[in-house]
Amino acid sequence: WNFASGSKIRNNLDKDILFVCGDIHLVTFPMLLKRELIDYEVIEGRVGVTNLNTLDYRALKYAQDTDILGRTDCFCLVD
């Protein structure tokens, strides 16, 4: 989601918004919200997650360990 180009989120900040997303996006999506100074609360994580040793979680750990997430947003956040 690109806030600079005007998104549906930006136009609805006067309301409560509920996002349901994949567990790994609970790492990437809040980075965008923080940068845009948008308050948020994660209600629950790891719902239905039984194995943290999948390729996706290993990739997330690598991204966190090498600070990749500190330099970029998740590709899925772009309009």
Side-chain angles (χ1 to χ4, degrees):
W1 295 38
N2 185 340
F3 282 85
S5 66
S7 72
K8 291 180 182 180
I9 295 174
R10 176 72 58 208
N11 296 331
N12 288 286
L13 289 179
D14 60 330
K15 303 173 184 122
D16 290 334
I17 302 171
L18 174 66
F19 288 97
V20 178
C21 59
D23 191 58
I24 291 176
H25 295 291
L26 293 178
V27 175
T28 57
F29 192 60
M31 292 173 65
L32 175 82
L33 297 175
K34 285 179 192 175
R35 187 180 69 233
E36 296 297 321
L37 304 175
I38 296 173
D39 292 331
Y40 70 92
E41 175 184 0
V42 174
I43 297 172
E44 190 68 43
R46 306 264 194 266
V47 174
V49 175
T50 58
N51 182 3
L52 296 177
N53 196 32
T54 65
L55 179 60
D56 292 335
Y57 283 98
R58 291 194 317 263
L60 174 63
K61 181 172 180 356
Y62 174 80
Q64 290 172 315
D65 291 348
T66 59
D67 197 33
I68 290 172
L69 296 177
R71 295 175 292 189
T72 184
D73 287 326
C74 183
F75 68 90
C76 65
L77 301 178
V78 179
D79 282 331

